[in-house]
Amino acid sequence: MNFGVCYYPEHWPEKRWESDALMMVEAGIEIVRIAEFAWAQIEPEAGRYQWSWLDRAINLLGKAGLRVMLGTPTAAPPIWLTRNHPDILRIDAGGQRRDHGTRRHYCPNSSTYHRHSQEIVSAMAQRYGTHPFVFGWQIDNEWGGGHTARCYCYNCVTAFQAWLKDRYGDIANLNDAWGTLFWSQSYMDWSQIHLPDQSIDKPNPSHILDFYRFSSDSYVAYQRLQIDLVRQYAPEHVVTTNFMGLYRDLDQFALATDLDFVTWDSYPTGNLDRWQKHLYLKQDELDASEHQFAYDVGDPYITGMAHALTYGLKGRPFWVMEQQAGAINWGSVNPGIRPGTTRLWTWHALAEGADTTVYFRWRSTLFAQEQYHSGLLQHDGSAGFGLADLALLRGEQQQLADIARQPNEADVALIFDFEDLWALEIQPHRSDYSYLKHLFVYYRACQRLGIQVDIIPKSGELNKYSLVLAPTLHIADEELAHTLKQYVIDGGHLLLGVRSGFKTANNLVTDQPFPGLLRLLIGATVRSWQSLPEQFGWDLSTNIAGLNGPATYWLEVLKPDSASVRALASYSSGPYSGQAALIENSLNNGKIYYHGWYPTDPQARAVIGHLVDKLGFSRIGDLPRGLIARKRGDAIILLNFTDVIQTANITGLPIKVPPRDVTVVNSLVSES
Amino acid sequence: MNFGVCYYPEHWPEKRWESDALMMVEAGIEIVRIAEFAWAQIEPEAGRYQWSWLDRAINLLGKAGLRVMLGTPTAAPPIWLTRNHPDILRIDAGGQRRDHGTRRHYCPNSSTYHRHSQEIVSAMAQRYGTHPFVFGWQIDNEWGGGHTARCYCYNCVTAFQAWLKDRYGDIANLNDAWGTLFWSQSYMDWSQIHLPDQSIDKPNPSHILDFYRFSSDSYVAYQRLQIDLVRQYAPEHVVTTNFMGLYRDLDQFALATDLDFVTWDSYPTGNLDRWQKHLYLKQDELDASEHQFAYDVGDPYITGMAHALTYGLKGRPFWVMEQQAGAINWGSVNPGIRPGTTRLWTWHALAEGADTTVYFRWRSTLFAQEQYHSGLLQHDGSAGFGLADLALLRGEQQQLADIARQPNEADVALIFDFEDLWALEIQPHRSDYSYLKHLFVYYRACQRLGIQVDIIPKSGELNKYSLVLAPTLHIADEELAHTLKQYVIDGGHLLLGVRSGFKTANNLVTDQPFPGLLRLLIGATVRSWQSLPEQFGWDLSTNIAGLNGPATYWLEVLKPDSASVRALASYSSGPYSGQAALIENSLNNGKIYYHGWYPTDPQARAVIGHLVDKLGFSRIGDLPRGLIARKRGDAIILLNFTDVIQTANITGLPIKVPPRDVTVVNSLVSES
Amino acid sequence: MNFGVCYYPEHWPEKRWESDALMMVEAGIEIVRIAEFAWAQIEPEAGRYQWSWLDRAINLLGKAGLRVMLGTPTAAPPIWLTRNHPDILRIDAGGQRRDHGTRRHYCPNSSTYHRHSQEIVSAMAQRYGTHPFVFGWQIDNEWGGGHTARCYCYNCVTAFQAWLKDRYGDIANLNDAWGTLFWSQSYMDWSQIHLPDQSIDKPNPSHILDFYRFSSDSYVAYQRLQIDLVRQYAPEHVVTTNFMGLYRDLDQFALATDLDFVTWDSYPTGNLDRWQKHLYLKQDELDASEHQFAYDVGDPYITGMAHALTYGLKGRPFWVMEQQAGAINWGSVNPGIRPGTTRLWTWHALAEGADTTVYFRWRSTLFAQEQYHSGLLQHDGSAGFGLADLALLRGEQQQLADIARQPNEADVALIFDFEDLWALEIQPHRSDYSYLKHLFVYYRACQRLGIQVDIIPKSGELNKYSLVLAPTLHIADEELAHTLKQYVIDGGHLLLGVRSGFKTANNLVTDQPFPGLLRLLIGATVRSWQSLPEQFGWDLSTNIAGLNGPATYWLEVLKPDSASVRALASYSSGPYSGQAALIENSLNNGKIYYHGWYPTDPQARAVIGHLVDKLGFSRIGDLPRGLIARKRGDAIILLNFTDVIQTANITGLPIKVPPRDVTVVNSLVSES
């Protein structure tokens, strides 16, 4: 495992650089990320470049023994560009042009911005593409941060029209695809199509979904424009960028395709309250019978799922490009951290498949927006708790490196798809419904059961996994149906959940009985579904151990269509009493399950536990809330995110993990 | 009672139409409403009409035995109109122009839109005005839906100035009427007057009220423009439109005047949480000692009051033009319904005076905004619970028809006035005050006491009623004072409530002691009033059985001015202890009551019960929460909106009504 | 003590004026404020003045024995000005131009508005500057009311650029001062700088602070423009204006400088819920063990602190220019008041240093926005509770006058600084943090301990006080550090609190260890700080009587740097267990305390009580919640804001104060 740090030499007197570099090296840091917001310092006027300070900084850092990752500085255009070309500025859904003064205020479809981006990236890559101390590039910074994924400017209107023309060819196809004969919406010409931001009520959902796809594609294209230039001038360097964990507005899989590896910015306490509200069913959230997380560590399941998604983007080790190491400045409380917390987060990243952790930032800034954001050093240069933890980690570096080299293998895959997410965000049907929340309950179940789970895209390779969880295959086409069928025929086990197969690729409802193209696969029809108010549910009848009712929130009723189908659970109250709620279908050597209601935490554990036990692959064991366990090769890493000692039973041996601490056991021993 | 359905043949393959029509007929449906959003299908380019599909649809439906109601399609202008004439688009209070893509995005004062509306309505009415299968017309759709009652575009600025000039003649009159010498607001010229949407704080309340009146008048005029053309070309057809129950932004009485009969769109679960929050005092809302409504039926008092208002618009039977028959897509949870719920709603409509129920919609759509809205058929064409209920209703059709023919008579009237509502919405004084809430507590009291109540306008005929409830005659003029006095002299009984007589027609405070022009009538002066915080109230001293304090929320203190006045309740604590809270005045054969505080649910029941007992007309009897009883001629229809068996005592006989079910008893028997 | 009233003769028939004037005189009123919104009546067209009505009103009032204070009417420009010169209209942060129809819709930097303001003020001052019945002037009305302190129009853009140029001279200085090299924000030219209202995220905090300063300066300049003219034409008259208590958006100290004395508009029930939520820590707010305030009196600590701030603006007696005397119209509930409440408020104002109370308003208006605002007379001219209270006060006028003449002396000063407030509002770090809340807990502690406290500016004279409380000296410079040091050397006692010394004048973080320039003074370093979530805290170890943990919310860790420093409290749990939390440093004859956590109500009382006891100056004694005691010379005024009898122990003698009543005791007696 490698350590790095985010550094802004331009923020500090040049005479300070050397001691900073020496302190970094002494702390065990090998990598420095710099320059990702330095456009105005590099090109203070259009076409006039000022390289000397950056040359000196890179040389000084490199000579101290550090390797440099350069950011292309396009996330923050300089004033001569924003004032001379206001057409590069993004416009919000409300029609308001966003001004200079922070970052990401550009439109990804502005040809003016493309041209200037090409110039600055070419200039930097030409200068540093073969520099001995530079080894890699971060493209821009946090695509879509600050709610900038979707721009509503005139550039985007015409680009969207072109994108649609490219997709549909003929306007009649678009009208069909969007169902525009509803409410006389039909278009006669591409030029009549605006962005979905000014209508009386919610716009047409197919219109919105295409706009989301277009917006995501716009960033993919803009990223590629930069990558091509970097690869041209820096052919030996690695190219990446920093994602934002569970960020939903852009297709991270698509963005990851063009990168050598991916990274993300991990701030476990950031907006924790909002995330928990978004991701937990109310009844799960209120469960007071289990241990609470320590106040300064975040929610390890949320952080863990973000790690897992990032790992899954390319199915290989990733970096944490910005690792929180103290208080941040953008949450509602921004709690301070305690000794040990930074170490716990670092071990967690490793356990989930990271091989490099870059801390944000070296030292707290004295000016501008991030004055209240911590660094490894405090404002006055004294050490914060993060730096002290880094010293501990350095002592563990051999162990960390050994584990980082271990394979990160999983028996279970969880399918994650951004288009499914968007389609449900556009039409949640109940205001508190969320695609991510639904996946999260299954993800959490795996974690609590001690099961290794990979997050993969719809196009991922399924055969590696004994069990594939697909809680919401919302949009389904023939190809997907075929792929899934083949996986099962080949002996795979597949679990589908509610709202699967509901939509076509155009975000229309399937014209077949639900779950549409997946119906033959499950061997049953979803006869009907109901959303229920908070206090209501239907009882369950089942032989699955530990599975208790009621089923709540979102319920679907299943009618088996084939003799191969068995009901594993049925409703025993409500308007569909006696009818199937969870079914199993057999196909050749494999099995398909359709889980007909949105489960609570304990229900998801019972169902997944039942399947895994039948499949017979080993689990680390049941884990209490707040105790995370991940297997890397022979090692099992146990991480305790609570303030009490927690115990895991690793095949019979009780392993105690101190509060906010890490324990590594050798699984070969404990499994013998 | 007739059954109908809303159908969109343009949404389905033509080959499906015939089986749809046959299924409708088999289900007992006689009426089909079509085409109210089909402008783009009828006139795909300006001036090019495409009638053939609509001809075929009407003929096919008609030949199957169905009668067709056509909608004029003006609620959704086509793209050639919105793009060629963006001046027809409405502008919000915030200044944002609303774009194509949903519906109701037009300005009711656009002369361009008037011209195109006249053309499409003329063309349709000419073609189908004498068609054998067409019998009626729905003008536009849901006036004001999607918060579109008030437009803030330039058309509206000039139209408003003309409206004001017409009303006031001279600018000096307007300055007087609005009290513009306050804060130097005075106008010198009509052209200086803008719409009340851009000021620092709340605009002048007289300015706002006039703008609300103008906006309502604009829709009345726009509706009349269409009605005149329909009547010209379809002289034998009925003309109506679909209102939205308790919708507050347009004067439904004024709109109803030009229609043959009225209809409304009944969605009992729609925004239920928001309506209950709006309509119940907090202490009434929290009463847990009574049965809760079933989760899938809505609040029967809210639905009932909407029925009653719609009945009252013309004082004669109405239609439900869109009856919910499953889950909807625009609430916060959108619960599914159970077998029996659609039947319960249909009986409820009948009991409240509907003679036709048109279900929305025939089949769930596969595309666009309403994908998650249920129909009688599910997406795949299979039957939903609504269709099954319709089969039950068909078996009861003779009974329904018999009852529908019975007179719908009431002893009590409740006066409802949109200008009073608006004046209080503009100046609620306490943020949670609502005109509608105040009326609703009296309406509920009548329902719980088993009293038939009609909702009537201020101009309604009072003499038909033994008792007239006028909880908030906020704006009063000489004519109203005279009418009420005459009603009482003629032997009527009149109850006035708080905030009556406070305002003049110009929304100024009366310059006389409160309640202004109504003071002589009540024989007393409202000396003062107080709004109290939630936990505070003043005790009551009274001989009225069951009436207990404290009086809370809004309290007025009465000083009798005449010997004919008796205090029926007095305050016994607080700063006005010992002074009158509820008075009775006698005038010739009649009596007037002034109810000096805003009552809770039990207080309203006690007061109304007391008056009714003294008047001696019969009540159905006390009813538990959730059990609705309505008398139609000899029949008493009992409707149970809870999940438990409820019992009504009908003149001594206990009648049990199963959960979510209907029981009809013959009142002549039970009263004998 | 003098009584006055706000009167609008232009709102009433001229024939009513005389009886109004006679009733005023009879009620003991001596002062009438008029004309502050009468521009349109005075100058109905540009340049055409209409003086006769105002002449008559002033003469009639004067002859009745009343003295007149005239308002310059610039808070509400007339329609000929707003329509002919729309460039005078203010624009909101969202870019929306605010229209005619209420008040304060002008830009303070509009040269057009300056010119017209000069004309109307000159004309009025020329006409009435030597009028025998006029004695004073109110400039404009409630600077910044209705959130108008900051305008975002084009006038303001250029004025701000000029202001910045004046402040920084060279653009490079501005870039340094704002730290614009962060995120490539650097400016090349003054014309590139916009207002901080359109960025993606929060703008640069130094940019915002300068814009706040500029906005405040704009009003100071605009006020001076008027004052200069008034002084020129009315050299013998007093000049003041009416502030708004704890209003935060303009620097009231700066505005006060140019006035002869200051006044404020006291509405104790106005937005009480929002103020309490803003000003109390949640744990303090929820303390149910103490008496609640009566529902109609407001929060006496909030009202009291507003009085104290207003007194402190010039350190001398002030007026209440608008004293609530009944229900208001702009809160969420607007409760009515009871007999005695107006008297209690009047006594409270006196006790806090007011020498004149002007009631708002004479009579409730019949029209426009304030219809629901009470007056001394009700709408119909009958007496409200306020007028009855005024009769009582008249009977007490000799006593009131005696007390008003007494010195208003304090042993303790509390430093209040608007720039510190703004800097923390811009960057609260935790969303519920507030500068004012932090000061308020210390203010309340003083009140509960029976300590007289003055609010003073940073530039205030410290030597008058035994103890200076400076809870948040957030922005510190050398001069401040020197002043404080000198105060302590001279024997003063100074308490600093959290977040002191954190910032430079440019709103950058100090580049020295915290608390920056104040570090030498306290003899210790703030090693680190933490914001903690609601339920968490660190225990305290201390010998201070009554001081109990935990420390919560905001915690700082102190490391003594000097042998003269003693820890008075230390943390005994958490990551800094054993380290100092509250220290005392000695310097010559004085002492400095640094209070390292944000205290709860009881903690603040314990700490301040400890210091005061050591200093040995006398306290009135411990006071229960809701009982206010203020010493004026020999008199102690006890005010009970609850609904129960409360008892104060005045040096051993229990003094009972009835509910919502006042008791005055002679402190010389009780202290003997």
Side-chain angles (χ1 to χ4, degrees), chain C residues 36-57:
Chain C
E36 84 277 11
F37 289 115
W39 194 341
Q41 282 77 49
I42 295 171
E43 189 182 6
E45 291 174 49
R48 180 168 72 78
Y49 293 97
Q50 190 173 268
W51 299 112
S52 55
W53 72 271
L54 188 53
D55 289 348
R56 290 196 301 277

Side-chain angles (χ1 to χ4, degrees), chain A residues 45-360:
Chain A
E45 291 174 48
R48 180 168 72 78
Y49 295 96
Q50 188 172 271
W51 298 112
S52 56
W53 72 271
L54 188 53
D55 290 349
R56 291 196 302 277
I58 292 171
N59 285 327
L60 183 144
L61 293 164
K63 284 175 188 163
L66 297 155
R67 295 187 302 145
V68 173
M69 169 156 286
L70 279 174
T72 70
T74 49
I79 193 78
W80 53 263
L81 186 45
T82 50
R83 287 291 175 265
N84 293 347
H85 303 285
D87 59 301
I88 74 156
L89 294 173
R90 68 174 261 106
I91 291 186
D92 276 356
Q96 197 155 42
R97 190 174 291 276
R98 288 300 166 192
D99 198 12
H100 192 88
T102 58
R103 50 182 177 169
R104 306 213 58 73
H105 38 290
Y106 68 82
C107 164
N109 287 301
S110 159
S111 58
T112 308
Y113 201 63
H114 288 184
R115 192 172 67 249
H116 283 282
S117 297
Q118 286 170 317
E119 286 172 10
I120 184 70
V121 172
S122 300
M124 278 187 82
Q126 285 177 34
R127 188 163 192 96
Y128 302 111
T130 55
H131 193 290
F133 298 141
V134 177
F135 77 105
W137 297 76
Q138 173 187 300
I139 305 298
D140 202 283
N141 186 76
E142 293 185 348
W143 300 119
H147 304 285
T148 59
R150 292 154 197 151
C151 174
Y152 296 82
C153 78
Y154 299 114
N155 299 320
C156 287
V157 174
T158 51
F160 183 47
Q161 290 166 350
W163 185 94
L164 289 170
K165 191 171 179 184
D166 190 51
R167 181 180 179 94
Y168 293 108
D170 192 284
I171 196 78
N173 295 338
L174 175 137
N175 282 316
D176 285 350
W178 289 7
T180 57
L181 39 73
F182 195 86
W183 291 350
S184 281
Q185 294 166 17
S186 311
Y187 296 98
M188 301 160 71
D189 188 89
W190 304 103
S191 69
Q192 291 169 336
I193 304 172
H194 291 181
L195 305 182
D197 65 329
Q198 304 282 344
S199 50
I200 302 272
D201 274 322
K202 286 224 160 196
N204 184 305
S206 302
H207 186 174
I208 306 175
L209 182 59
D210 272 349
F211 180 63
Y212 286 8
R213 286 168 168 147
F214 155 78
S215 299
S216 188
D217 286 359
S218 299
Y219 278 99
V220 170
Y222 177 66
Q223 180 183 261
R224 192 175 304 134
L225 172 155
Q226 294 202 24
I227 291 175
D228 289 347
L229 292 167
V230 171
R231 289 235 165 88
Q232 179 182 343
Y233 297 112
E236 308 293 322
H237 287 179
V238 294
V239 181
T240 186
T241 195
N242 51 340
F243 293 114
M244 295 185 288
L246 299 177
Y247 180 75
R248 288 161 286 169
D249 293 354
L250 299 170
D251 186 337
Q252 297 190 34
F253 289 109
L255 283 161
T257 304
D258 293 327
L259 301 168
D260 291 321
F261 61 90
V262 293
T263 81
W264 78 289
D265 296 346
S266 176
Y267 294 97
T269 71
N271 292 329
L272 183 60
D273 42 354
R274 279 198 277 163
W275 274 112
Q276 289 186 323
K277 202 172 156 66
H278 181 83
L279 289 174
Y280 286 89
L281 270 192
K282 204 169 276 185
Q283 52 260 60
D284 288 337
E285 194 181 358
L286 298 175
D287 187 342
S289 70
E290 302 190 283
H291 293 306
Q292 301 304 302
F293 310 131
Y295 73 81
D296 58 340
V297 300
D299 180 320
Y301 302 107
I302 297 176
T303 310
M305 192 172 178
H307 282 310
L309 173 59
T310 308
Y311 182 88
L313 293 181
K314 296 186 85 76
R316 76 177 80 134
F318 62 95
W319 289 18
V320 176
M321 185 63 96
E322 300 183 8
Q323 172 62 58
Q324 179 177 358
I328 60 168
N329 68 317
W330 44 276
S332 59
V333 171
N334 297 315
I337 64 164
R338 291 175 284 178
T341 297
T342 305
R343 173 174 168 262
L344 183 69
W345 286 331
T346 306
W347 269 98
H348 193 199
L350 173 85
E352 296 286 354
D355 62 8
T356 300
T357 300
V358 182
Y359 298 93
F360 187 86

Side-chain angles (χ1 to χ4, degrees), chain B residues 109 153-165 214 218:
Chain B
N109 287 302
C153 78
Y154 298 114
N155 299 319
C156 287
V157 174
T158 52
F160 183 48
Q161 290 166 350
W163 185 94
L164 290 169
K165 191 171 181 185
F214 155 78
S218 299

